[in-house]
Amino acid sequence: MTIAILDDPTGRHWGYHLSKTAGVRSGVLYPILTRMLNEGWLTDGWEDPATIKGKRPPRRYYELTDEGRLALGGILVDARRDARFTDLPGLVGRFA
């Protein structure tokens, strides 16, 4: 999930898209997002209803904070040193 968020560090991230991009089930994703919110790594908000086409409800979005960028960058640095993650797609050569 770290790679999915850092792929666009200044953008808005929708839970469903993060789930699909990271390959993580929603039952795993949302507790992680909640912890990241509690740590101050993310902020959240709701999509403006005036911009919604159709009759769907507004979606919740997540944005990475400066603190979150530093913390997640540190996680990637640690993961690059860990042999268990050397074959992880997208980890090597990105976010250097």
Side-chain angles (χ1 to χ4, degrees):
M1 192 172 89
T2 298
I3 293 171
I5 290 176
L6 286 177
D7 197 37
D8 183 9
T10 60
R12 285 186 175 176
H13 300 279
W14 312 103
Y16 179 79
H17 184 258
L18 284 173
S19 174
K20 295 303 174 193
T21 302
V24 177
R25 293 184 332 264
S26 62
V28 173
L29 176 75
Y30 289 103
I32 292 171
L33 290 173
T34 299
R35 278 180 270 175
M36 292 173 76
L37 283 164
N38 291 340
E39 290 293 326
W41 295 3
L42 295 175
T43 59
D44 65 337
W46 292 93
E47 182 177 33
D48 181 359
T51 64
I52 299 172
K53 294 182 175 148
K55 295 185 178 189
R56 68 171 173 76
R59 298 177 294 175
R60 187 177 185 182
Y61 63 83
Y62 302 89
E63 294 178 312
L64 200 53
T65 64
D66 290 338
E67 183 180 348
R69 273 188 279 284
L70 290 172
L72 293 181
I75 289 170
L76 284 181
V77 167
D78 290 345
R80 285 187 183 117
R81 292 187 206 131
D82 192 320
R84 294 173 296 171
F85 302 115
T86 57
D87 293 332
L88 188 63
L91 183 61
V92 178
R94 292 176 73 187
F95 316 110

